[in-house]
Amino acid sequence: MIQLTNLPDQGKAFVQTLDDVLLRKSQVGIDVLRLDKIHTIISGNKWFKLKYYLDDALKQRRKGIVTFGGPYSNHLIASAYASRIAGLHSIGIVRGERPKSFSQTLSDIESYGMTLKFASRDDYGNEHFKTTIKALYPDHLLVEEGGRGRAGIRGAEEILHLTAFDQYSHIICAVGTGTMMTGIVNSSLPHQTVIGIPVLKFDQSNSNTVADFVTLNASSENFAFQYDFHFEGYAKKNKGLLGFMSDFYKRHGIPTDFVYTGKLFYGVMKLVGDGFFNPDSKILIIHSGGLQGNRSLPEGQLQFSE
Ligand SMILES: *Cc1c(COP(=O)(O)O)cnc(C)c1O
């Protein structure tokens, strides 16, 4: 394993119990696993999903990794920083044309030493694009967007072991690629239900790429999805969501991001209010980090200070 300083400190993750009238009334207990606390840049689940790719790249004596993401990608910024610490070069293929001026996220990514290449949305979504990139950079390990794949799942299988997780009836997480959720399902116990809240908009309950991915890669079937909390699609938001996030911070001191964990906590609290969980349910919510994504918001849209 990579032995360098300034990597995330998994020991900094802790469990926070929520106290709330709604929860007391519903007799539902909620604990939050604060993965957002392990590192400021290689935040949350991204570290778990990346570590074995970096390990593979080092073992295979590659020069570095090449990976993919949008201009505000938590995965790209985490990859850039973690690669640098691991002594690996990194190439980031960014979705969309090169912007005239860089977002804070892109500037940071570049300052951590990642070489940025921009790909038109057509190229980026093209099936053969990955093959082209692989051929262009044969001395770099290709890591799929979001760390999707075996090594990502393997790292995510470690998340639950940060706490005494056997006490929970439900474990709930946000879902992008489904890599983290698959790792969580694989390490969960038979009496537990893992619920994923997709942040992309899918046709209700029909087969979709994310559900297919989890079903294909999970070693058990104790999981389900709640499809109603996407807010019209990936990185889409409205006043209701941002208002919830500010209020949730005021009540519990937990910052969330509007792409992933804002939708996650909104969804769980809505389900509790709707009586979805039986009394005495004990829920563990995975706070998967990703707070830097809020930097794409105009100032003042979130109130995260007391
Ligand atoms: C990337 C990310 C996710 C999604 O993880 P997947 O493994 O792709 O499903 C969830 N939460 C946060 C904060 C993220 O940055």
Side-chain angles (χ1 to χ4, degrees), residues 50-306:
L50 272 171
K51 55 202 278 190
Y52 290 108
Y53 288 112
L54 298 176
D55 225 26
D56 286 347
L58 290 169
K59 280 192 194 129
Q60 295 170 17
R61 301 187 180 283
R62 305 268 189 155
K63 242 193 218 155
I65 64 165
V66 54
T67 191
F68 309 83
Y72 294 98
S73 166
N74 293 330
H75 167 71
L76 279 188
I77 197 166
S79 299
Y81 199 90
S83 299
R84 185 186 185 127
I85 295 173
L88 290 162
H89 178 242
S90 64
I91 301 168
I93 314 291
V94 186
R95 185 185 61 236
E97 306 297 335
R98 174 181 277 270
K100 285 205 186 72
S101 69
F102 273 13
S103 64
Q104 188 64 52
T105 305
L106 284 180
S107 314
D108 286 355
I109 290 173
E110 203 168 49
S111 77
Y112 303 146
M114 182 177 260
T115 303
L116 290 175
K117 307 275 177 192
F118 292 82
S120 72
R121 281 167 186 269
D122 281 350
D123 281 346
Y124 196 91
N126 188 307
E127 246 186 78
H128 303 294
F129 186 57
K130 242 178 11 197
T131 322
T132 318
I133 295 295
K134 217 171 185 166
L136 261 178
Y137 307 106
D139 48 1
H140 285 63
L141 179 73
L142 186 139
V143 177
E144 296 220 25
E145 185 172 24
R148 189 178 201 261
R150 264 309 328 153
I153 294 170
R154 181 177 164 209
E157 286 169 356
E158 297 175 2
I159 291 173
L160 286 185
H161 294 282
L162 295 175
T163 182
F165 69 95
D166 58 331
Q167 59 183 305
Y168 299 103
S169 55
H170 300 79
I171 300 152
I172 312 184
C173 66
V175 173
T177 64
T179 305
M180 165 173 61
M181 179 176 175
T182 305
I184 287 171
V185 171
N186 289 353
S187 50
S188 68
L189 298 165
H191 72 272
Q192 301 178 315
T193 304
V194 178
I195 298 177
I197 299 199
V199 301
L200 291 90
K201 186 175 178 176
F202 292 117
D203 258 350
Q204 288 280 350
S205 63
N206 281 341
S207 111
N208 62 66
T209 48
V210 169
D212 290 351
F213 177 83
V214 178
T215 306
L216 187 70
N217 292 287
S219 55
S220 60
E221 291 173 3
N222 56 330
F223 64 87
F225 295 93
Q226 284 292 333
Y227 287 107
D228 291 337
F229 306 110
H230 52 72
F231 286 83
E232 292 312 310
Y234 183 76
K236 296 272 182 4
K237 57 186 183 303
N238 63 23
K239 279 202 177 119
L241 177 63
L242 298 177
F244 169 84
M245 290 164 62
S246 296
D247 182 60
F248 192 76
Y249 182 84
K250 240 189 277 164
R251 285 166 188 264
H252 305 292
I254 301 179
T256 53
D257 77 288
F258 71 89
V259 181
Y260 295 103
T261 58
K263 295 179 182 181
L264 165 69
F265 284 98
Y266 182 98
V268 177
M269 295 318 265
K270 177 80 169 67
L271 290 170
V272 172
D274 291 350
F276 178 85
F277 299 103
N278 291 329
D280 296 328
S281 293
K282 194 143 191 240
I283 300 170
L284 181 70
I285 303 181
I286 312 298
H287 190 315
S288 36
L291 297 166
Q292 71 85 28
N294 286 337
R295 295 190 298 183
S296 68
L297 292 174
E299 224 168 295
Q301 290 218 2
L302 285 171
Q303 269 98 51
F304 276 1
S305 53
E306 274 86 343

